[in-house]
């Protein structure tokens, strides 16, 4: 049995999982798709209803038939040889994607963490909200619009104010630097100047009152939930904006929420997900319990910092899952 | 031509069915300043500059071991969950003790690429 880890070369989280698998005596092949075609070869024939052949680098090889688990961590984009024109490189990358990754998708009885097409579907936040609600999870009132008057209407409907947040990646490259967008509470000045709302789908939500937040990483149904308590104004709005101000506590989520998270993942057909949750005050029983509101599920969400700060054994869960492979019925 | 129909389909692109990301330390070849307020998306008003990634000098990838190793000793670098944080970055899921390590993370949402 081979476990294929699709990850870039510098990925310390992947290092930990690979080390764990090797310590268990498993055969692991790490592949960055950026290695194809210059450092990685594929030689595959379709015979008797199945793909047969191998993946090979200078140091490692995997028989396609032996691959039983694939962890899609964050492989790089196919890197084409110097000298190609942009048109040729685009063509070559398309061929590589359909050819190489198509073979991987066709391999039978493989456990995917996560299957990339299902993960891509689960990345659509509007769909997440609908599925989450069906699973009994609480979602903040949300607006997606390109109409400024809809923003003003939505603002009037909120007693807690609005926050703006991106629907997709919040990282862009501009002015020769990377820039990141965090959750932003809209001020009266923002609402008075809504230029830019009309140029694309703008995503706004009611601010959810919070006591603290939680990142819950679910691996094959096992939930690793860590509460994040903000120690600064910035981290209270968006915990990612001020990591040093956070304190961590391993918690158990209410059973209804845990069930909802598992149902959510089953609906999408994914086995790994990192949920961002708000733990808010209960208006009816203040101080007694926390009301859990789901903000989003990151299907490739990071977890190393939780392991580092709170000791939750997420690497161990992933190693166990990948080493086990697919079970009957899934 | 089966794939061409979906190559740039706005709903279900081929890329999104198997997302890949720019390699960790690559920087886009083209960089432009923001456009005018009337055309810049509302959600891009509030951004924090992060700089550009740098390849860490102390470690390198070992193709035989398939993990990062210490350049000086040749031994596997300490596992991430054994490291202490000294600084952090501004990205979701910061997972390392320095800005060098920071950049090993990528945004949570898969980034479709051509």
């Amino acid at each position: 049995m081979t476990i294929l880890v699709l990850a870039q070369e510098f990925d310390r989280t992947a290092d930990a999982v690979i080390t764990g698998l090797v310590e268990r005596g498993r055969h692991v092949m790490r592949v960055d798709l950026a290695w194809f075609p210059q450092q990685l070869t594929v030689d595959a024939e379709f015979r008797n209803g199945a793909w047969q052949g191998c993946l090979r680098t200078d140091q490692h090889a995997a028989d396609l038939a032996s691959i039983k688990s694939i962890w899609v961590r964050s492989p790089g984009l196919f890197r084409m040889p110097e000298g190609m024109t942009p048109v040729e490189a685009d063509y070559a990358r398309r061929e590589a994607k359909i050819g190489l990754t198509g073979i991987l998708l066709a391999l039978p009885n493989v456990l995917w963490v996560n299957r990339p097409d299902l993960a891509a579907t689960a990345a659509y936040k509007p769909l997440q909200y609908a599925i989450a609600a069906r699973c009994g999870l609480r979602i903040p009132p949300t607006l997606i619009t390109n109409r400024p008057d809809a923003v003003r209407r939505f603002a009037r409907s909120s007693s807690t104010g609005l926050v703006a947040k991106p629907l997709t990646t919040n990282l862009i490259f501009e002015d020769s630097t990377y820039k990141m967008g965090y959750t932003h509470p809209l001020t009266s000045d923002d609402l008075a100047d809504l230029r830019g709302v009309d140029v694309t789908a703008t995503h706004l939500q009611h601010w959810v009152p919070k006591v603290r937040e939680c990142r819950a990483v679910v691996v094959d149904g096992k939930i690793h939930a860590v509460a994040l308590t903000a120690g600064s104004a910035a981290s209270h709005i968006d915990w990612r904006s001020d990591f040093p101000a956070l304190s961590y506590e391993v918690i158990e989520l209410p059973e209804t929420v845990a069930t909802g998270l598992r149902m959510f993942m089953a609906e999408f057909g994914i086995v790994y997900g990192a949920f961002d949750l708000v733990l808010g005050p209960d208006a009816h029983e203040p101080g007694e319990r926390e009301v859990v509101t789901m903000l989003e599920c990151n299907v490739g969400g990071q977890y190393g910092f939780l392991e580092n700060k709170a000791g939750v054994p997420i690497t161990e869960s992933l190693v166990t899952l990948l080493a086990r492979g697919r079970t009957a019925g899934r | 031509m089966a794939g061409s129909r979906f190559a740039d389909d706005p709903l279900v692109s081929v890329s999104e069915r198997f997302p890949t990301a720019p390699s960790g330390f690559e920087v886009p070849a083209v960089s432009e300043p923001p456009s005018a307020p009337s055309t810049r998306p509302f959600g891009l008003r509030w951004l924090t500059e992060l700089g550009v990634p740098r390849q860490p000098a102390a470690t390198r990838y070992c193709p035989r071991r398939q993990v990062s190793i210490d350049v000086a000793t040749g031994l596997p670098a300490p596992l991430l969950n054994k490291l202490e944080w000294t600084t952090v970055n501004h990205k979701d899921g910061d997972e390392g003790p320095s800005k060098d390590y920071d950049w090993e993370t990528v945004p949570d949402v898969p980034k479709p690429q051509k």
Side-chain angles (χ1 to χ4, degrees), chain A residues 8 12-13 28 30 60 75 77 79 97 120 173-174 176-178 180 182 193 195 301-305 308, chain B residues 16 18 21 23-24 26-27 31-33 40 45-46 48 50-51 64 66 68 78 83 90 94-95 101 108:
Chain A
Q8 298 188 22
R12 306 296 297 282
T13 304
V28 182
R30 180 176 185 154
H60 296 273
L77 178 64
R79 187 176 295 134
K97 178 164 299 253
F173 189 73
E174 185 178 67
S176 300
T177 183
Y178 281 98
M180 179 96 167
Y182 300 112
D193 177 8
R195 286 178 296 174
Q302 304 293 344
Y303 64 84
F305 69 113
N308 183 279
Chain B
E16 285 189 333
F18 208 117
S23 292
E26 287 181 357
V27 172
S31 169
E32 295 182 275
R40 185 164 177 82
R45 276 195 193 175
W46 309 278
T48 301
L50 300 180
R64 183 175 63 82
Q66 304 188 102
S68 290
L83 293 171
H90 299 279
D94 170 33
E95 299 192 355
Y101 287 148
D108 277 333

Side-chain angles (χ1 to χ4, degrees), chain B residues 19-45:
Chain B
T20 51
S23 292
F25 301 99
E26 287 181 357
V27 172
V30 178
S31 169
E32 295 182 275
S35 68
S38 60
T39 52
R40 185 164 177 82
F42 189 71
L44 294 182
R45 276 195 193 175

Side-chain angles (χ1 to χ4, degrees), chain A residues 64-83:
Chain A
L64 291 173
S66 74
I67 296 173
K68 295 304 175 193
S69 293
I70 301 178
W71 184 30
V72 186
R73 170 69 179 155
S74 183
L77 178 64
F78 304 103
R79 187 176 295 134
M80 295 302 155
E82 294 289 328

